[in-house]
Amino acid sequence: GLRVHEYLYFQVLSPGDIRYIFTATPAKDFGGVFNTRYDQIHLVPADPPEACGELNNGVFIQEQIALVERGGCSFVSKTRVIQEHGGRAVIIADNAYDNDSFYIEMIQENSRRTADIPALFLLGRDGYMIRRSLEQHGLPWAVISIPVNVTSIPTYEMMQPPWTFW
């Protein structure tokens, strides 16, 4: 049957030029769930971006949320790398930078490996715009709130990325 995506929302608080509410989809059959709302937590782009092995900035990911790029290894592998570096969650952005509407369903690979931290999929355009803003401002991370309950926000007040069709 037709599956409807479950969405989770987060808001970038800083830098201000990307102070929008972003939509992500949780992994289908691996990873944890958000039991806590983080009002101000760092979203740290992984270095290297694909996070398939040892990270050069792993110390900054500890107790924070990592922004990872799709490709190079499985979604579970990426999530485990971030978990092993002490990350609270991982947001995996599509590596197709022009993807502004197609959500990939992240599923567990054929191994018995799993991960305990939440794993979310983010559109490629959104991930690209977040990373670009951080580079332009010379910042090592963004500050975000996650998850955000959008049902309590009037539609006219929702700060949506101008490049995304909702």
Side-chain angles (χ1 to χ4, degrees):
L2 183 64
R3 282 184 40 89
V4 175
H5 280 292
E6 175 184 344
Y7 295 108
L8 188 137
Y9 302 91
F10 67 94
Q11 182 173 18
V12 173
L13 304 173
S14 171
D17 63 333
I18 54 166
R19 192 179 170 103
Y20 301 116
I21 294 176
F22 293 90
T23 305
T25 55
K28 182 180 176 196
D29 58 2
F30 71 90
V33 296
F34 280 96
N35 295 319
T36 304
R37 180 170 192 272
Y38 301 102
D39 287 320
Q40 291 190 13
I41 192 165
H42 294 162
L43 177 63
V44 183
D47 177 23
E50 292 179 341
C52 292
E54 191 58 34
L55 300 177
N56 299 323
N57 64 340
V59 66
F60 297 113
I61 287 172
Q62 189 169 357
E63 300 296 319
Q64 307 301 324
I65 295 176
L67 177 62
V68 171
E69 195 170 293
R70 180 180 176 208
C73 60
S74 71
F75 293 123
V76 172
S77 294
K78 295 172 184 300
T79 305
R80 288 178 59 92
V81 165
I82 299 307
Q83 180 175 308
E84 289 163 8
H85 282 84
R88 295 188 182 214
V90 61
I91 297 175
I92 302 172
D94 196 355
N95 54 2
Y97 299 152
D98 59 345
N99 177 9
D100 60 4
S101 60
F102 183 71
Y103 288 91
I104 304 286
E105 195 167 75
M106 296 192 310
I107 58 172
Q108 185 162 353
E109 58 197 27
N110 292 331
S111 75
R112 296 196 184 279
R113 297 182 321 147
T114 189
D116 301 319
I117 63 171
L120 305 172
F121 183 81
L122 181 66
L123 295 173
R125 174 73 50 87
D126 292 346
Y128 169 78
M129 296 301 274
I130 292 169
R131 283 190 301 273
R132 189 179 84 168
S133 175
L134 293 176
E135 288 170 12
Q136 287 174 341
H137 293 286
L139 297 172
W141 54 70
V143 178
I144 67 170
S145 289
I146 188 168
V148 172
N149 180 357
V150 296
T151 60
S152 63
I153 302 171
T155 307
Y156 63 87
E157 287 184 14
M158 287 235 332
M159 289 295 297
Q160 305 161 23
W163 57 84
T164 303
F165 176 74
W166 282 46

